[in-house]
Structure formats: C-alpha cells, structure tokens
C-alpha cells in the first residue's frame, strides 16, 4: 500500500471530513480512503477530474452524482 500526504488542507474541509467519518463509523483516514476509491472508480469514463469529484463528495457534503 502507498502513503499519501495532503498538505494545506482547509480546516473546514478537515472538520467536515471528521463529521462524515463519524457518521459512517470510520476513522478520518478510512473515510478519505473510501472517498478516493469511490471517486477514482466513478471517474473512469467521466469527463470531470478527481478534484471535482472529491469536492462534490467532501466539500459539498453530497453523494456522488455524475450529473452535477
């Protein structure tokens, strides 16, 4: 397995990730892994980038939707 470091993560994003992780019964690290796995899986064939997908899932607090 690889290691990924995310620098300069906005505190508000971190806070929302913490809340989302707790809601899903996961650690923040496990939540981030799940988000990345879902986003990269959904990105196959999608015409949006991974950053856009992550923003939709984490920052906007919604579920993934390719139509947004």
């Amino acid at each position: 397995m690889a290691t990924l470091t995310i620098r300069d993560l906005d505190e508000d994003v971190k806070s929302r990730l913490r809340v989302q992780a707790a809601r899903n019964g996961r650690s923040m690290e496990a939540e981030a892994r799940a988000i990345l796995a879902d986003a990269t899986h959904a990105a196959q064939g999608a015409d949006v980038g991974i950053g856009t997908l992550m923003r939709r899932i984490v920052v906007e607090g919604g579920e993934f939707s390719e139509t947004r």
Side-chain angles (χ1 to χ4, degrees), residues 1 3 7 14-15 18 33 36 57 67-68:
M1 290 273 163
T3 300
R7 291 183 176 85
K14 182 181 175 185
S15 178
R18 183 179 312 126
R33 277 194 302 267
L36 289 169
I57 294 168
T67 59
R68 281 192 181 173

Side-chain angles (χ1 to χ4, degrees), residues 24-36:
N24 292 326
R26 296 189 266 228
S27 67
M28 285 179 53
E29 184 177 350
E31 189 69 18
R33 277 194 302 267
I35 289 167
L36 289 169

